Amino acid sequence: MHKYEKIWLSLGMASLVLFLVIIFVSAIHNGHAPAASGREFIDPEMVDKKEPFNKPGLHKVEGKDWDYELVFVVSAFNYNPGEVKIPKGSKVKIIATSKDVNHGFEIAHTNVNMMIEPGHISNFVKTFDKKGEYLLLCNEYCGTGHADMKSIIKVVDK
Ligand code: CUA
């Protein structure tokens, strides 16, 4: 093998190893783990009858790491509830599932972005500390009414 070829080859290998080490070390450092969301299962046809989805909306909880649970039932082509008021500063566990097909669950201008799959329960814990109106929208094509799927999340003074 040509000398330069050897040098370039080893440089390439070294940078590959370096990048893998960086990814590994930063993942350990930041405590990354596979998403805990979506590991719970539910029969999509029983959603309306099963806890907590028989009562969509915001519920105050005691003795947990969050102040409220916000339950969403998602279906073509709407989110239930269609509007929610959250007291500013609340730590909220969002719990959602779909009754039919895959839907998106993105709260614009926040880091909340989930895929909602039938048969699975997705969740995300978020503190809403900025007052305002947030649009919850579907970013997963789900049919003719896809673009109309939305809900409004209002973060209001306590
Ligand atoms: Cu639901 Cu797109």
Side-chain angles (χ1 to χ4, degrees), residues 3 21 48 51 69 73 77 79 107 112-113 126 150:
K3 188 177 142 205
V21 166
D48 289 327
E51 293 243 351
E69 287 178 352
V73 174
F77 299 98
Y79 294 99
I107 305 178
V112 181
N113 190 358
K126 160 119 190 119
K150 62 173 197 290

Side-chain angles (χ1 to χ4, degrees), residues 101-114:
V101 296
N102 285 359
H103 294 281
F105 192 106
E106 179 180 349
I107 305 178
H109 306 298
T110 72
N111 61 341
V112 181
N113 190 358
M114 298 190 278

Side-chain angles (χ1 to χ4, degrees), residues 77 102-104 138-142 146 149:
F77 299 98
N102 285 359
H103 294 281
C138 184
N139 57 11
E140 188 73 33
Y141 184 75
C142 53
H146 162 73
M149 274 190 76

